[in-house]
Amino acid sequence: ATVEVRHGAPDGELLGSVKAEPTGDWGKSNSLSFEIQPAKERGDLYIRFSNPGKGHLMNLESITLDR
């Protein structure tokens, strides 16, 4: 599965992404971190999760954005 950060729309400019590997257990979690590129202008950010051809993407506990 992949976690993407996009600007302006769910299919907007890709600012960053990270691959999320399965833990093998719904009760076990990972922490993922990655850098995103600054957007060219002010606007909405969209967090998009994808896992083409497969179901059960992931459980999400929290998202933290740092400057």
Side-chain angles (χ1 to χ4, degrees):
T2 303
V3 179
E4 300 173 340
V5 177
R6 293 185 171 266
H7 179 256
D11 60 349
E13 177 187 6
L14 179 64
L15 302 178
S17 67
V18 65
K19 186 169 176 112
E21 296 293 338
T23 64
D25 182 348
W26 283 104
K28 187 175 179 184
S29 63
N30 288 357
S31 291
L32 303 174
S33 64
F34 60 103
E35 292 189 17
I36 61 173
Q37 300 302 311
K40 295 178 182 115
E41 58 189 37
R42 185 176 221 148
D44 295 329
L45 290 180
Y46 290 79
I47 311 298
R48 189 169 112 174
F49 305 91
S50 65
N51 196 17
K54 302 187 180 185
H56 303 103
L57 285 173
M58 63 189 75
N59 287 343
L60 176 67
E61 186 173 314
S62 66
I63 294 176
T64 302
L65 300 175
D66 294 321
R67 267 191 165 193

